[in-house]
Amino acid sequence: MAFAGFALFILVNIATALAVLASASTRTPVLIAAVFLALFGLVGGLVLILLRRPWTKGLGMGLMIGWALVSIVSAGWCTGLNPGLYA
Amino acid sequence: MHELFVALGVVAASIVFVREARRRGALNEQSLATVTGALVGGAIGMRLAGVAESLDLGELWLYGSRSILGGLTGAYVGVLITKKIIKYQGKTGDLFAPAVALGMAIGRIGCHLTEAPGRPTSLPWGVHAPATTPECPACLTGEPMHPSFIYEIVFHLAAFAAIVWASKRLTQPGELFTLYVAAYAAFRFLVEFTRANETVWLDLTRPQWFLLPGLVLLAIRLWYGNRRGYYTPLFARRIQA
Protein backbone atom coordinates (compact mmCIF):
# COMPACT_ATOMS: atom_id res chain seq x y z
CA MET A 1 0.00 0.00 0.00
CA ALA A 2 2.98 2.31 0.51
CA PHE A 3 3.65 2.18 -3.25
CA ALA A 4 -0.03 3.01 -3.91
CA GLY A 5 0.20 6.01 -1.57
CA PHE A 6 3.40 7.17 -3.27
CA ALA A 7 1.79 6.84 -6.73
CA LEU A 8 -1.36 8.66 -5.53
CA PHE A 9 0.73 11.57 -4.27
CA ILE A 10 2.61 11.79 -7.58
CA LEU A 11 -0.68 11.93 -9.51
CA VAL A 12 -2.17 14.64 -7.28
CA ASN A 13 1.16 16.48 -7.45
CA ILE A 14 1.23 16.53 -11.24
CA ALA A 15 -2.38 17.74 -11.40
CA THR A 16 -1.63 20.52 -8.88
CA ALA A 17 1.54 21.59 -10.66
CA LEU A 18 -0.29 21.78 -14.01
CA ALA A 19 -3.05 23.84 -12.40
CA VAL A 20 -0.48 26.27 -10.98
CA LEU A 21 1.35 26.55 -14.30
CA ALA A 22 -1.94 27.27 -16.08
CA SER A 23 -2.84 30.06 -13.66
CA ALA A 24 -1.58 33.65 -13.64
CA SER A 25 2.11 33.93 -12.76
CA THR A 26 1.69 35.37 -9.28
CA ARG A 27 2.96 33.93 -6.01
CA THR A 28 -0.50 33.19 -4.57
CA PRO A 29 -1.29 30.01 -6.58
CA VAL A 30 2.14 28.58 -5.68
CA LEU A 31 1.53 29.25 -1.98
CA ILE A 32 -1.91 27.65 -2.18
CA ALA A 33 -0.42 24.63 -4.00
CA ALA A 34 2.38 24.31 -1.42
CA VAL A 35 -0.09 24.40 1.48
CA PHE A 36 -2.51 22.00 -0.24
CA LEU A 37 0.22 19.47 -1.11
CA ALA A 38 1.74 19.64 2.37
CA LEU A 39 -1.72 19.09 3.90
CA PHE A 40 -2.48 16.27 1.48
CA GLY A 41 0.88 14.52 1.82
CA LEU A 42 1.85 15.14 5.44
CA VAL A 43 -1.39 15.75 7.36
CA GLY A 44 -3.41 13.35 5.17
CA GLY A 45 -0.69 10.73 5.53
CA LEU A 46 -0.54 11.19 9.30
CA VAL A 47 -4.33 10.89 9.64
CA LEU A 48 -4.30 7.66 7.61
CA ILE A 49 -1.50 6.24 9.80
CA LEU A 50 -3.36 7.16 12.99
CA LEU A 51 -6.43 5.23 11.77
CA ARG A 52 -4.22 2.18 12.51
CA ARG A 53 -5.78 -0.13 9.94
CA PRO A 54 -3.23 -2.18 7.97
CA TRP A 55 -4.10 -0.67 4.59
CA THR A 56 -4.40 2.93 5.80
CA LYS A 57 -0.97 2.82 7.52
CA GLY A 58 0.79 1.81 4.30
CA LEU A 59 -1.15 4.33 2.23
CA GLY A 60 -0.41 7.11 4.75
CA MET A 61 3.32 6.37 4.81
CA GLY A 62 3.31 6.29 1.00
CA LEU A 63 1.74 9.77 0.85
CA MET A 64 4.33 11.15 3.28
CA ILE A 65 7.23 9.48 1.44
CA GLY A 66 5.84 10.93 -1.81
CA TRP A 67 5.81 14.49 -0.46
CA ALA A 68 9.32 14.13 1.00
CA LEU A 69 10.91 12.51 -2.05
CA VAL A 70 9.35 14.89 -4.56
CA SER A 71 10.38 17.85 -2.41
CA ILE A 72 13.97 16.55 -2.16
CA VAL A 73 14.61 15.42 -5.73
CA SER A 74 12.71 18.18 -7.56
CA ALA A 75 14.04 21.01 -5.36
CA GLY A 76 10.42 21.54 -4.38
CA TRP A 77 9.11 22.01 -7.90
CA CYS A 78 6.17 19.68 -7.64
CA THR A 79 5.47 20.32 -3.98
CA GLY A 80 4.86 23.99 -4.74
CA LEU A 81 8.02 25.00 -2.93
CA ASN A 82 10.69 27.03 -4.70
CA PRO A 83 8.38 29.27 -6.79
CA GLY A 84 11.34 30.49 -8.84
CA LEU A 85 11.16 27.20 -10.71
CA TYR A 86 7.62 27.99 -11.85
CA ALA A 87 8.78 31.16 -13.58
CA MET B 1 21.28 18.18 -13.51
CA HIS B 2 21.63 18.56 -9.73
CA GLU B 3 18.19 17.08 -9.13
CA LEU B 4 18.97 14.12 -11.43
CA PHE B 5 21.95 13.08 -9.32
CA VAL B 6 20.03 13.69 -6.09
CA ALA B 7 17.32 11.39 -7.46
CA LEU B 8 19.90 8.76 -8.46
CA GLY B 9 21.41 9.04 -4.97
CA VAL B 10 17.99 8.47 -3.39
CA VAL B 11 17.39 5.41 -5.63
CA ALA B 12 20.83 3.94 -4.78
CA ALA B 13 20.30 4.63 -1.06
CA SER B 14 16.88 2.94 -1.19
CA ILE B 15 18.36 -0.19 -2.81
CA VAL B 16 21.19 -0.38 -0.26
CA PHE B 17 18.74 0.20 2.62
CA VAL B 18 16.43 -2.61 1.49
CA ARG B 19 19.37 -5.01 0.99
CA GLU B 20 20.80 -4.15 4.41
CA ALA B 21 17.39 -4.45 6.10
CA ARG B 22 16.85 -7.85 4.44
CA ARG B 23 20.34 -9.02 5.49
CA ARG B 24 19.63 -8.06 9.10
CA GLY B 25 16.09 -9.48 9.04
CA ALA B 26 14.66 -6.01 9.63
CA LEU B 27 12.59 -5.50 6.48
CA ASN B 28 9.32 -4.75 8.28
CA GLU B 29 6.73 -2.07 8.99
CA GLN B 30 8.91 -0.44 11.68
CA SER B 31 11.79 0.12 9.26
CA LEU B 32 9.39 1.56 6.64
CA ALA B 33 8.07 3.91 9.31
CA THR B 34 11.59 5.07 10.22
CA VAL B 35 12.36 5.62 6.51
CA THR B 36 9.23 7.78 6.29
CA GLY B 37 10.36 9.76 9.33
CA ALA B 38 13.88 10.15 7.92
CA LEU B 39 12.66 11.37 4.52
CA VAL B 40 10.07 13.81 5.86
CA GLY B 41 12.48 15.10 8.52
CA GLY B 42 15.26 15.38 5.94
CA ALA B 43 13.07 17.26 3.45
CA ILE B 44 11.96 19.73 6.12
CA GLY B 45 15.42 20.02 7.71
CA MET B 46 17.25 20.74 4.47
CA ARG B 47 14.83 23.57 3.76
CA LEU B 48 14.84 25.10 7.23
CA ALA B 49 18.66 24.95 7.45
CA GLY B 50 18.84 28.39 5.84
CA VAL B 51 17.55 29.94 9.07
CA ALA B 52 21.08 31.22 9.73
CA GLU B 53 20.83 33.29 6.56
CA SER B 54 17.25 34.56 6.74
CA LEU B 55 14.68 34.86 9.49
CA ASP B 56 11.79 35.27 7.05
CA LEU B 57 10.18 31.86 7.55
CA GLY B 58 7.89 32.17 4.53
CA GLU B 59 10.80 33.05 2.26
CA LEU B 60 12.88 30.35 3.88
CA TRP B 61 10.27 27.66 3.33
CA LEU B 62 9.64 28.55 -0.30
CA TYR B 63 13.17 29.37 -1.43
CA GLY B 64 15.25 27.91 1.43
CA SER B 65 18.61 26.26 0.98
CA ARG B 66 19.04 22.56 0.35
CA SER B 67 21.64 21.88 3.00
CA ILE B 68 23.03 18.36 3.47
CA LEU B 69 23.77 19.06 7.14
CA GLY B 70 20.23 20.37 7.65
CA GLY B 71 18.86 17.33 5.83
CA LEU B 72 20.87 14.86 7.91
CA THR B 73 19.91 16.59 11.17
CA GLY B 74 16.25 16.70 10.12
CA ALA B 75 16.36 13.02 9.12
CA TYR B 76 17.87 12.07 12.50
CA VAL B 77 15.20 14.03 14.39
CA GLY B 78 12.52 12.55 12.09
CA VAL B 79 13.62 8.99 12.95
CA LEU B 80 13.69 9.78 16.70
CA ILE B 81 10.15 11.21 16.55
CA THR B 82 8.88 8.26 14.49
CA LYS B 83 10.36 5.75 16.93
CA LYS B 84 8.63 7.57 19.81
CA ILE B 85 5.29 7.50 17.93
CA ILE B 86 5.47 3.80 17.03
CA LYS B 87 7.05 2.94 20.42
CA TYR B 88 10.02 1.20 18.76
CA GLN B 89 13.11 0.76 20.96
CA GLY B 90 15.47 -0.96 18.48
CA LYS B 91 18.48 0.74 16.85
CA THR B 92 17.95 1.64 13.19
CA GLY B 93 21.03 3.76 12.41
CA ASP B 94 23.09 0.84 11.11
CA LEU B 95 20.48 0.28 8.38
CA PHE B 96 20.87 3.88 7.25
CA ALA B 97 24.67 4.21 7.42
CA PRO B 98 25.70 2.44 4.17
CA ALA B 99 22.65 3.80 2.31
CA VAL B 100 23.38 7.40 3.29
CA ALA B 101 27.09 7.07 2.41
CA LEU B 102 26.44 5.77 -1.10
CA GLY B 103 23.51 8.14 -1.69
CA MET B 104 25.62 11.14 -0.69
CA ALA B 105 28.49 10.06 -2.96
CA ILE B 106 26.14 10.03 -5.95
CA GLY B 107 24.22 13.18 -4.98
CA ARG B 108 27.47 15.14 -4.65
CA ILE B 109 28.22 14.54 -8.35
CA GLY B 110 25.31 16.91 -9.05
CA CYS B 111 26.80 19.47 -6.67
CA HIS B 112 30.17 19.25 -8.44
CA LEU B 113 28.57 19.82 -11.84
CA THR B 114 26.39 22.79 -10.87
CA GLU B 115 27.85 24.61 -7.86
CA ALA B 116 31.03 26.56 -7.16
CA PRO B 117 33.62 23.76 -6.79
CA GLY B 118 35.71 25.36 -4.04
CA ARG B 119 38.22 28.02 -3.05
CA PRO B 120 41.02 29.00 -5.43
CA THR B 121 44.07 26.75 -5.30
CA SER B 122 47.47 26.37 -6.98
CA LEU B 123 47.43 22.59 -6.49
CA PRO B 124 47.82 20.62 -9.75
CA TRP B 125 44.36 19.06 -9.47
CA GLY B 126 42.56 22.41 -9.28
CA VAL B 127 39.47 22.55 -11.51
CA HIS B 128 37.73 25.26 -13.54
CA ALA B 129 34.00 25.89 -13.76
CA PRO B 130 31.86 27.92 -16.20
CA ALA B 131 31.58 31.65 -15.56
CA THR B 132 27.80 31.19 -15.31
CA THR B 133 28.16 29.15 -12.08
CA PRO B 134 26.22 31.03 -9.35
CA GLU B 135 28.05 32.60 -6.38
CA CYS B 136 31.48 31.75 -7.78
CA PRO B 137 33.91 34.69 -8.07
CA ALA B 138 36.79 32.37 -9.08
CA CYS B 139 34.71 31.09 -11.99
CA LEU B 140 34.60 34.65 -13.37
CA THR B 141 38.36 35.16 -13.03
CA GLY B 142 39.17 31.70 -14.42
CA GLU B 143 41.24 30.64 -11.41
CA PRO B 144 41.60 26.91 -10.66
CA MET B 145 39.63 25.80 -7.59
CA HIS B 146 39.63 22.94 -5.11
CA PRO B 147 37.31 20.15 -6.34
CA SER B 148 35.78 20.05 -2.84
CA PHE B 149 32.79 17.93 -3.91
CA ILE B 150 35.16 15.35 -5.43
CA TYR B 151 36.96 15.19 -2.06
CA GLU B 152 33.58 14.51 -0.49
CA ILE B 153 32.64 11.87 -3.07
CA VAL B 154 35.92 10.05 -2.37
CA PHE B 155 35.22 10.27 1.38
CA HIS B 156 31.71 8.83 1.06
CA LEU B 157 32.84 5.99 -1.22
CA ALA B 158 35.64 5.12 1.23
CA ALA B 159 33.14 5.38 4.10
CA PHE B 160 30.75 3.07 2.25
CA ALA B 161 33.52 0.46 1.79
CA ALA B 162 34.56 0.84 5.45
CA ILE B 163 30.96 0.44 6.64
CA VAL B 164 30.52 -2.76 4.59
CA TRP B 165 33.79 -4.09 6.09
CA ALA B 166 32.95 -3.03 9.66
CA SER B 167 29.34 -4.28 9.53
CA LYS B 168 30.65 -7.86 9.69
CA ARG B 169 32.73 -7.09 12.78
CA LEU B 170 30.89 -4.58 14.97
CA THR B 171 28.38 -6.26 17.25
CA GLN B 172 27.05 -3.28 19.24
CA PRO B 173 23.85 -2.02 17.52
CA GLY B 174 23.93 1.58 16.32
CA GLU B 175 27.71 1.99 16.43
CA LEU B 176 28.20 1.84 12.64
CA PHE B 177 26.00 4.91 12.30
CA THR B 178 27.75 6.69 15.18
CA LEU B 179 31.16 6.08 13.59
CA TYR B 180 29.97 7.21 10.16
CA VAL B 181 28.36 10.41 11.48
CA ALA B 182 31.46 11.21 13.58
CA ALA B 183 33.78 10.61 10.62
CA TYR B 184 31.63 12.72 8.28
CA ALA B 185 31.34 15.56 10.81
CA ALA B 186 35.14 15.68 11.23
CA PHE B 187 35.76 15.38 7.48
CA ARG B 188 33.14 18.00 6.63
CA PHE B 189 34.63 20.44 9.15
CA LEU B 190 38.02 20.05 7.43
CA VAL B 191 36.76 20.07 3.84
CA GLU B 192 34.91 23.33 4.52
CA PHE B 193 38.35 24.99 4.40
CA THR B 194 38.36 24.17 0.67
CA ARG B 195 34.67 24.94 0.00
CA ALA B 196 33.47 28.18 -1.56
CA ASN B 197 31.10 28.87 1.36
CA GLU B 198 31.10 32.34 2.90
CA THR B 199 33.06 32.71 6.15
CA VAL B 200 31.08 34.44 8.87
CA TRP B 201 33.32 34.66 11.96
CA LEU B 202 36.95 33.75 12.78
CA ASP B 203 37.39 32.58 9.18
CA LEU B 204 34.95 29.73 9.73
CA THR B 205 31.87 29.05 7.59
CA ARG B 206 28.31 28.57 8.86
CA PRO B 207 28.52 24.74 8.48
CA GLN B 208 31.73 24.76 10.56
CA TRP B 209 30.05 26.73 13.36
CA PHE B 210 27.09 24.33 13.16
CA LEU B 211 29.46 21.34 13.34
CA LEU B 212 31.61 22.53 16.25
CA PRO B 213 29.20 21.65 19.12
CA GLY B 214 28.26 18.45 17.27
CA LEU B 215 31.91 17.43 17.08
CA VAL B 216 32.29 17.88 20.84
CA LEU B 217 29.22 15.71 21.50
CA LEU B 218 30.40 13.07 19.02
CA ALA B 219 33.89 13.00 20.58
CA ILE B 220 32.31 12.36 24.00
CA ARG B 221 30.10 9.65 22.48
CA LEU B 222 33.10 7.94 20.80
CA TRP B 223 35.10 8.11 24.04
CA TYR B 224 32.16 6.48 25.86
CA GLY B 225 31.83 3.76 23.19
CA ASN B 226 35.55 3.10 23.24
CA ARG B 227 35.59 2.80 27.04
CA ARG B 228 32.83 0.20 26.77
CA GLY B 229 34.80 -1.75 24.16
CA TYR B 230 32.28 -1.22 21.34
CA TYR B 231 35.06 -0.74 18.77
CA THR B 232 37.45 -3.47 19.99
CA PRO B 233 36.26 -5.97 17.30
CA LEU B 234 37.45 -3.53 14.60
CA PHE B 235 41.05 -3.87 15.78
CA ALA B 236 41.01 -7.58 16.71
CA ARG B 237 42.98 -9.84 14.37
CA ARG B 238 41.26 -12.88 13.01
CA ILE B 239 43.08 -16.05 14.07
CA GLN B 240 43.26 -18.68 11.38
CA ALA B 241 42.13 -22.12 12.59
Side-chain angles (χ1 to χ4, degrees):
Chain A
M1 287 310 290
F3 285 106
F6 177 74
L8 178 63
F9 183 83
I10 299 291
L11 284 176
V12 173
N13 220 330
I14 291 170
T16 310
L18 288 175
V20 171
L21 287 169
S23 66
S25 59
T26 61
R27 196 171 155 173
T28 312
V30 181
L31 278 170
I32 293 168
V35 172
F36 166 71
L37 288 168
L39 285 174
F40 179 68
L42 298 181
V43 180
L46 194 62
V47 168
L48 284 171
I49 291 167
L50 292 176
L51 288 176
R52 295 191 186 280
R53 291 187 195 128
W55 69 272
T56 60
K57 274 199 277 189
L59 197 65
M61 283 193 271
L63 286 180
M64 294 177 92
I65 289 172
W67 180 87
L69 278 182
V70 174
S71 176
I72 291 168
V73 304
S74 74
W77 197 84
C78 273
T79 40
L81 308 176
N82 205 342
L85 290 167
Y86 283 88
Chain B
M1 181 65 84
H2 199 169
E3 284 68 42
L4 172 69
F5 281 98
V6 172
L8 288 174
V10 169
V11 170
S14 306
I15 293 168
V16 172
F17 182 91
V18 169
R19 284 176 65 100
E20 188 64 14
R22 192 171 284 155
R23 189 178 75 81
R24 292 171 182 264
L27 196 59
N28 49 35
E29 193 178 285
Q30 282 92 348
S31 57
L32 180 64
T34 55
V35 166
T36 307
L39 287 172
V40 172
I44 294 172
M46 71 200 302
R47 205 150 276 278
L48 291 183
V51 78
E53 293 175 30
S54 167
L55 289 175
D56 183 342
L57 288 180
E59 198 76 359
L60 192 65
W61 184 250
L62 285 170
Y63 294 99
S65 66
R66 284 174 292 148
S67 153
I68 288 288
L69 291 176
L72 284 177
T73 309
Y76 184 72
V77 173
V79 170
L80 289 184
I81 293 171
T82 305
K83 283 165 71 174
K84 281 271 180 207
I85 292 171
I86 63 172
K87 297 184 176 69
Y88 183 65
Q89 307 256 317
K91 299 278 187 184
T92 53
D94 293 348
L95 296 175
F96 286 98
V100 173
L102 190 63
M104 296 256 283
I106 296 170
R108 281 303 197 196
I109 299 171
C111 300
H112 177 70
L113 295 175
T114 55
E115 293 181 28
R119 295 183 192 176
T121 179
S122 56
L123 289 167
W125 57 81
V127 295
H128 297 269
T132 51
T133 309
E135 295 172 34
C136 180
C139 299
L140 294 172
T141 57
E143 287 175 277
M145 292 161 281
H146 278 285
S148 66
F149 296 114
I150 301 291
Y151 301 156
E152 204 163 322
I153 291 166
V154 171
F155 168 82
H156 286 299
L157 289 176
F160 176 71
I163 289 166
V164 171
W165 173 81
S167 66
K168 297 179 182 112
R169 289 165 177 80
L170 278 183
T171 51
Q172 184 66 25
E175 291 308 307
L176 264 182
F177 185 72
T178 304
L179 285 171
Y180 170 65
V181 169
Y184 179 57
F187 170 82
R188 179 65 192 268
F189 185 86
L190 294 174
V191 89
E192 275 293 313
F193 288 112
T194 70
R195 288 278 295 270
N197 288 332
E198 177 194 7
T199 56
V200 286
W201 191 44
L202 298 177
D203 273 345
L204 296 179
T205 64
R206 285 188 181 89
Q208 285 176 313
W209 283 110
F210 175 81
L211 283 165
L212 269 178
L215 280 168
V216 173
L217 293 175
L218 284 163
I220 294 169
R221 178 63 182 76
L222 288 181
W223 173 80
Y224 172 83
N226 192 44
R227 288 263 299 186
R228 298 227 156 189
Y230 294 165
Y231 313 125
T232 309
L234 291 178
F235 306 106
R237 287 190 177 194
R238 288 195 167 175
I239 299 165
Q240 297 290 327

